[in-house]
Amino acid sequence: MKEPKITGANAGGPRQLPMGTRWAARVAQFCLGVSNSMKNLTCILLAVVALGFLVAPSPAGDEVDKNLTKQISDILSECKKITAGTTRAELLKVFTTEGGLSTAIHRTFVHRHCPYIKVDVDFTLSDPKQSIVDERPTDTVSKISKPYLEWSIAD
């Protein structure tokens, strides 16, 4: 009489499936043998655990510097007021010039309270005959970047 042949993924030979696949197969096999009410309960439990991880406060939340957060919020609000059409004179109330190469048409500005907060600004010159190096208070902003952080440039 012949012995019955053993079959399956790892029957009598080297492992053919990686561990992750074996684990997934075991979970699938478990799910096949469980009643629907048990599956529903398991799904609800997993959803609650996952939601707990999403809602749980992060450790960094305890270390927030409220004063610094307020200062940065105020600076961002101030920066948002500078839009296309703002004059160079109005811009210079919030920002000051930074070193480096620039023209009357394009320049990088730094915030007056922190030289690491910068914006790049393109201007429309107030006079069509104006020289490319002649910056005038009446020039208007045509484009301004979002504020960004960068080390200072020294000439």
Side-chain angles (χ1 to χ4, degrees), residues 56-82:
S58 68
D62 297 336
E63 301 169 13
V64 171
D65 183 333
K66 301 222 184 268
N67 185 37
L68 177 62
T69 302
K70 170 88 170 87
Q71 289 174 344
I72 291 175
S73 175
D74 291 346
I75 288 172
L76 290 174
S77 295
E78 197 175 27
C79 292
K80 204 170 192 172
K81 294 176 184 176
I82 308 296

Side-chain angles (χ1 to χ4, degrees), residues 114-129:
C114 179
Y116 302 140
I117 300 173
K118 303 179 179 193
V119 290
D120 295 322
V121 183
D122 291 338
F123 290 94
T124 301
L125 302 180
S126 54
D127 182 1
K129 297 177 185 174

Side-chain angles (χ1 to χ4, degrees), residues 2 11-12 22 24 31 38 49 56-57 68 70-71 109 114 135 151:
K2 270 185 153 182
R22 288 181 58 212
C31 289
M38 186 68 166
V49 169
L68 177 62
K70 170 88 170 87
Q71 289 174 344
F109 291 86
C114 179
E135 297 180 1
W151 295 113

Side-chain angles (χ1 to χ4, degrees), residues 10-11 20 27 42-44 52 72 77 80 97 111 113 139 148 152:
N10 298 323
V27 170
T42 303
C43 288
I44 290 170
I72 291 175
S77 295
K80 204 170 192 172
T97 57
H111 195 272
H113 297 296
D139 296 340
Y148 62 93
S152 294

